[in-house]
Amino acid sequence: MKTTKQRRKERSEERFARQFHSKERVEWVKSQPCHVTRQKGNIVNAHMKSRGSGGTYTDIVPLDWAVHFDFDTMSAQKFEQKYKYSKKLVRKAAWFYNEAWKIHRGDFK
């Protein structure tokens, strides 16, 4: 029988796998330039569908921390005025990064 601590650890690992896939993928995303500004450094794994709403690692786009903060807090209109890039296009980019990850891994299925 598993202890409470073991069950918590398993649930935590399952949640991490669902939301981020793996530490390797987190680091790969962080190595990409910001999707909006194209600058490197300070990159975070930004979920385009919140984790609370069922967002998974397939919903991630690399964003600079400040861009991610603005994405989450600004209206779509203000974000587009500031970055000349729509939130809708940023969300759609998650598909591209998921496919690029598959290619990076050599998963051509």
Side-chain angles (χ1 to χ4, degrees), residues 48-65:
M48 296 294 101
K49 181 178 180 184
S50 76
R51 292 178 281 171
S53 296
T56 68
Y57 68 90
T58 63
D59 302 310
I60 289 176
V61 173
L63 293 179
D64 176 272
W65 184 90

Side-chain angles (χ1 to χ4, degrees):
M1 180 172 276
K2 294 180 184 174
T3 66
T4 301
K5 187 175 180 179
Q6 289 170 325
R7 285 192 306 274
R8 283 185 186 149
K9 185 176 189 287
E10 283 180 5
R11 281 195 306 263
S12 177
E13 289 169 353
E14 289 169 0
R15 190 178 321 111
F16 182 86
R18 184 176 59 252
Q19 295 174 349
F20 294 99
H21 187 278
S22 63
K23 289 180 182 179
E24 180 188 5
R25 189 175 195 282
V26 168
E27 291 305 314
W28 177 80
V29 170
K30 289 170 76 172
S31 74
Q32 304 302 306
C34 173
H35 183 75
V36 175
T37 65
R38 306 308 300 158
Q39 298 207 359
K40 287 197 167 218
N42 228 8
I43 303 301
V44 296
N45 285 252
H47 284 85
M48 296 294 101
K49 181 178 180 184
S50 76
R51 292 178 281 171
S53 296
T56 68
Y57 68 90
T58 63
D59 302 310
I60 289 176
V61 173
L63 293 179
D64 176 272
W65 184 90
V67 175
H68 185 221
F69 179 80
D70 289 345
F71 187 91
D72 286 346
T73 58
M74 287 182 167
S75 69
Q77 184 179 11
K78 283 187 178 182
F79 184 86
E80 191 166 350
Q81 285 174 344
K82 182 173 182 176
Y83 294 105
K84 309 298 185 234
Y85 210 98
S86 77
K87 285 185 170 186
K88 185 177 180 179
L89 286 176
V90 177
R91 285 185 187 99
K92 285 186 174 186
W95 177 87
F96 167 81
Y97 289 101
N98 192 49
E99 294 301 307
W101 167 248
K102 290 177 189 176
I103 292 168
H104 173 77
R105 284 183 36 210
D107 182 6
F108 300 106
K109 296 177 187 176

